[in-house]
Short mmCIF file of all heavy atoms in Angstrom, two decimals:
data_model
loop_
_atom_site.label_atom_id
_atom_site.label_comp_id
_atom_site.label_asym_id
_atom_site.label_seq_id
_atom_site.Cartn_x
_atom_site.Cartn_y
_atom_site.Cartn_z
N ARG A 251 73.19 72.58 47.20
CA ARG A 251 73.31 71.20 47.70
C ARG A 251 72.17 70.88 48.68
O ARG A 251 72.37 70.28 49.73
CB ARG A 251 74.65 70.97 48.38
CG ARG A 251 75.83 71.12 47.47
CD ARG A 251 77.12 70.94 48.23
NE ARG A 251 78.19 70.57 47.33
CZ ARG A 251 79.28 69.95 47.70
NH1 ARG A 251 79.48 69.63 48.95
NH2 ARG A 251 80.22 69.64 46.82
N LEU A 272 76.80 61.50 35.22
CA LEU A 272 77.28 60.94 36.49
C LEU A 272 76.54 59.71 36.94
O LEU A 272 77.11 58.85 37.61
CB LEU A 272 77.21 62.00 37.60
CG LEU A 272 78.15 63.16 37.41
CD1 LEU A 272 77.94 64.18 38.50
CD2 LEU A 272 79.59 62.69 37.37
N ARG A 288 75.39 61.74 46.13
CA ARG A 288 76.82 61.59 45.84
C ARG A 288 77.44 62.95 45.48
O ARG A 288 78.51 63.29 45.96
CB ARG A 288 77.03 60.59 44.72
CG ARG A 288 78.52 60.28 44.50
CD ARG A 288 78.74 59.14 43.53
NE ARG A 288 78.43 59.59 42.18
CZ ARG A 288 77.72 58.91 41.30
NH1 ARG A 288 77.20 57.74 41.60
NH2 ARG A 288 77.51 59.37 40.10
N ILE A 289 76.75 63.72 44.66
CA ILE A 289 77.27 65.03 44.27
C ILE A 289 77.32 65.96 45.48
O ILE A 289 78.33 66.64 45.72
CB ILE A 289 76.41 65.66 43.15
CG1 ILE A 289 76.51 64.83 41.88
CG2 ILE A 289 76.82 67.10 42.88
CD1 ILE A 289 75.47 65.21 40.82
N SER A 291 77.36 65.34 48.75
CA SER A 291 78.17 64.95 49.91
C SER A 291 79.65 64.81 49.59
O SER A 291 80.47 64.67 50.49
CB SER A 291 77.65 63.64 50.51
OG SER A 291 77.83 62.58 49.59
N GLY A 292 80.01 64.86 48.32
CA GLY A 292 81.41 64.70 47.94
C GLY A 292 82.22 65.96 48.16
O GLY A 292 81.69 67.04 48.45
N SER A 293 83.52 65.82 48.04
CA SER A 293 84.41 66.97 48.22
C SER A 293 84.43 67.89 47.01
O SER A 293 84.80 69.05 47.11
CB SER A 293 85.83 66.50 48.54
OG SER A 293 86.32 65.71 47.47
N ALA A 294 84.04 67.38 45.85
CA ALA A 294 83.99 68.20 44.64
C ALA A 294 82.81 69.18 44.76
O ALA A 294 81.73 68.83 45.23
CB ALA A 294 83.82 67.32 43.41
N ARG A 295 83.04 70.39 44.33
CA ARG A 295 81.99 71.41 44.36
C ARG A 295 81.57 71.72 42.92
O ARG A 295 82.40 72.15 42.11
CB ARG A 295 82.51 72.66 45.05
CG ARG A 295 81.53 73.78 45.15
CD ARG A 295 80.46 73.48 46.14
NE ARG A 295 79.49 74.56 46.11
CZ ARG A 295 78.36 74.55 46.73
NH1 ARG A 295 78.04 73.52 47.47
NH2 ARG A 295 77.54 75.54 46.65
N VAL A 296 80.30 71.47 42.60
CA VAL A 296 79.79 71.69 41.26
C VAL A 296 78.73 72.79 41.32
O VAL A 296 77.83 72.74 42.16
CB VAL A 296 79.14 70.41 40.68
CG1 VAL A 296 78.64 70.65 39.26
CG2 VAL A 296 80.10 69.24 40.72
N GLU A 297 78.83 73.78 40.44
CA GLU A 297 77.82 74.82 40.31
C GLU A 297 77.54 75.02 38.83
O GLU A 297 78.47 75.06 38.03
CB GLU A 297 78.28 76.13 40.94
CG GLU A 297 78.39 76.04 42.45
CD GLU A 297 78.66 77.38 43.10
OE1 GLU A 297 78.65 78.42 42.40
OE2 GLU A 297 78.88 77.38 44.32
N GLY A 320 79.13 75.94 33.87
CA GLY A 320 79.45 76.05 35.27
C GLY A 320 80.85 75.57 35.55
O GLY A 320 81.67 75.43 34.63
N THR A 321 81.09 75.29 36.82
CA THR A 321 82.42 74.87 37.22
C THR A 321 82.34 73.70 38.17
O THR A 321 81.35 73.50 38.87
CB THR A 321 83.17 76.01 37.95
OG1 THR A 321 82.39 76.43 39.07
CG2 THR A 321 83.44 77.18 37.03
N LEU A 322 83.41 72.94 38.16
CA LEU A 322 83.62 71.88 39.14
C LEU A 322 84.99 72.16 39.75
O LEU A 322 85.98 72.32 39.03
CB LEU A 322 83.63 70.51 38.47
CG LEU A 322 83.96 69.35 39.41
CD1 LEU A 322 83.12 68.15 39.09
CD2 LEU A 322 85.42 69.00 39.36
N ASP A 323 85.02 72.28 41.08
CA ASP A 323 86.27 72.46 41.80
C ASP A 323 86.50 71.22 42.64
O ASP A 323 85.67 70.88 43.49
CB ASP A 323 86.21 73.70 42.70
CG ASP A 323 86.18 74.98 41.89
OD1 ASP A 323 87.14 75.19 41.13
OD2 ASP A 323 85.22 75.76 42.02
N ALA A 324 87.64 70.55 42.41
CA ALA A 324 87.96 69.34 43.16
C ALA A 324 89.47 69.14 43.20
O ALA A 324 90.13 69.22 42.16
CB ALA A 324 87.29 68.12 42.54
N ASN A 325 89.97 68.91 44.39
CA ASN A 325 91.39 68.58 44.56
C ASN A 325 92.31 69.58 43.87
O ASN A 325 93.29 69.20 43.22
CB ASN A 325 91.67 67.16 44.05
CG ASN A 325 90.77 66.14 44.71
OD1 ASN A 325 90.55 66.19 45.91
ND2 ASN A 325 90.25 65.22 43.91
N GLY A 326 91.98 70.85 43.99
CA GLY A 326 92.82 71.90 43.41
C GLY A 326 92.67 72.06 41.90
O GLY A 326 93.37 72.86 41.29
N GLU A 327 91.77 71.32 41.29
CA GLU A 327 91.55 71.42 39.86
C GLU A 327 90.19 72.06 39.60
O GLU A 327 89.22 71.79 40.30
CB GLU A 327 91.59 70.04 39.21
CG GLU A 327 91.39 70.08 37.72
CD GLU A 327 91.44 68.70 37.06
OE1 GLU A 327 91.33 67.68 37.76
OE2 GLU A 327 91.60 68.66 35.84
N ARG A 328 90.13 72.90 38.58
CA ARG A 328 88.86 73.51 38.18
C ARG A 328 88.57 73.12 36.75
O ARG A 328 89.41 73.25 35.87
CB ARG A 328 88.93 75.03 38.30
CG ARG A 328 87.65 75.70 37.73
CD ARG A 328 87.63 77.14 38.03
NE ARG A 328 86.95 77.30 39.30
CZ ARG A 328 86.14 78.30 39.59
NH1 ARG A 328 85.95 79.26 38.76
NH2 ARG A 328 85.53 78.35 40.75
N LEU A 329 87.35 72.62 36.54
CA LEU A 329 86.88 72.29 35.20
C LEU A 329 85.77 73.26 34.83
O LEU A 329 84.89 73.55 35.66
CB LEU A 329 86.31 70.87 35.15
CG LEU A 329 87.24 69.71 35.46
CD1 LEU A 329 86.47 68.40 35.41
CD2 LEU A 329 88.40 69.68 34.50
N ASN A 330 85.79 73.75 33.61
CA ASN A 330 84.70 74.57 33.09
C ASN A 330 83.75 73.63 32.36
O ASN A 330 84.13 73.00 31.38
CB ASN A 330 85.23 75.65 32.15
CG ASN A 330 86.01 76.69 32.92
OD1 ASN A 330 85.57 77.18 33.94
ND2 ASN A 330 87.19 77.02 32.43
N LEU A 331 82.55 73.53 32.90
CA LEU A 331 81.57 72.57 32.38
C LEU A 331 80.73 73.16 31.26
O LEU A 331 80.34 74.33 31.32
CB LEU A 331 80.67 72.10 33.52
CG LEU A 331 81.38 71.46 34.70
CD1 LEU A 331 80.39 71.17 35.82
CD2 LEU A 331 82.10 70.19 34.27
N LEU A 360 86.61 66.11 28.72
CA LEU A 360 85.93 66.81 29.81
C LEU A 360 85.01 65.86 30.56
O LEU A 360 84.97 65.86 31.80
CB LEU A 360 85.14 68.01 29.28
CG LEU A 360 84.32 68.79 30.30
CD1 LEU A 360 85.19 69.37 31.40
CD2 LEU A 360 83.53 69.89 29.61
N ALA A 362 85.27 62.58 30.93
CA ALA A 362 86.08 61.66 31.75
C ALA A 362 86.64 62.36 32.98
O ALA A 362 86.60 61.81 34.09
CB ALA A 362 87.21 61.08 30.90
N ARG A 363 87.11 63.59 32.83
CA ARG A 363 87.66 64.33 33.97
C ARG A 363 86.56 64.66 34.98
O ARG A 363 86.77 64.59 36.18
CB ARG A 363 88.36 65.59 33.48
CG ARG A 363 89.63 65.24 32.69
CD ARG A 363 90.24 66.43 31.99
NE ARG A 363 90.64 67.46 32.92
CZ ARG A 363 90.78 68.74 32.57
NH1 ARG A 363 90.54 69.13 31.35
NH2 ARG A 363 91.16 69.62 33.47
N TYR A 364 85.37 65.01 34.49
CA TYR A 364 84.23 65.32 35.35
C TYR A 364 83.81 64.09 36.15
O TYR A 364 83.65 64.13 37.36
CB TYR A 364 83.08 65.83 34.47
CG TYR A 364 81.80 66.18 35.18
CD1 TYR A 364 81.76 67.09 36.23
CD2 TYR A 364 80.59 65.63 34.77
CE1 TYR A 364 80.58 67.43 36.85
CE2 TYR A 364 79.39 65.98 35.38
CZ TYR A 364 79.40 66.88 36.42
OH TYR A 364 78.22 67.21 37.02
N GLN A 365 83.67 62.97 35.48
CA GLN A 365 83.27 61.72 36.16
C GLN A 365 84.30 61.30 37.20
O GLN A 365 83.94 60.92 38.31
CB GLN A 365 83.07 60.60 35.13
CG GLN A 365 81.85 60.80 34.28
CD GLN A 365 81.74 59.81 33.14
OE1 GLN A 365 82.75 59.36 32.59
NE2 GLN A 365 80.51 59.47 32.77
N THR A 366 85.56 61.41 36.90
CA THR A 366 86.62 61.03 37.85
C THR A 366 86.60 61.95 39.07
O THR A 366 86.70 61.49 40.21
CB THR A 366 88.00 61.11 37.17
OG1 THR A 366 88.02 60.17 36.09
CG2 THR A 366 89.12 60.80 38.14
N ALA A 367 86.43 63.25 38.86
CA ALA A 367 86.46 64.21 39.96
C ALA A 367 85.28 64.03 40.92
O ALA A 367 85.44 64.17 42.13
CB ALA A 367 86.46 65.63 39.40
N VAL A 368 84.11 63.69 40.40
CA VAL A 368 82.93 63.59 41.26
C VAL A 368 82.85 62.21 41.92
O VAL A 368 82.34 62.07 43.01
CB VAL A 368 81.64 63.92 40.47
CG1 VAL A 368 80.41 63.66 41.30
CG2 VAL A 368 81.68 65.36 40.02
N ARG A 369 83.39 61.19 41.29
CA ARG A 369 83.37 59.86 41.88
C ARG A 369 84.43 59.76 42.92
O ARG A 369 84.45 59.18 43.90
CB ARG A 369 83.57 58.79 40.81
CG ARG A 369 82.32 58.69 39.96
CD ARG A 369 82.40 57.53 38.99
NE ARG A 369 81.17 57.49 38.25
CZ ARG A 369 81.11 57.23 36.96
NH1 ARG A 369 82.17 56.98 36.25
NH2 ARG A 369 79.94 57.23 36.35
#
Side-chain angles (χ1 to χ4, degrees):
R251 297 177 158 203
L272 293 176
R288 187 172 72 226
I289 295 168
S291 65
S293 60
R295 180 72 184 171
V296 182
E297 292 188 6
T321 57
L322 176 141
D323 291 301
N325 305 317
E327 181 179 16
R328 174 171 269 217
L329 298 178
N330 291 312
L331 302 174
L360 177 60
R363 292 170 62 203
Y364 179 56
Q365 289 172 328
T366 298
V368 173
R369 288 187 179 140

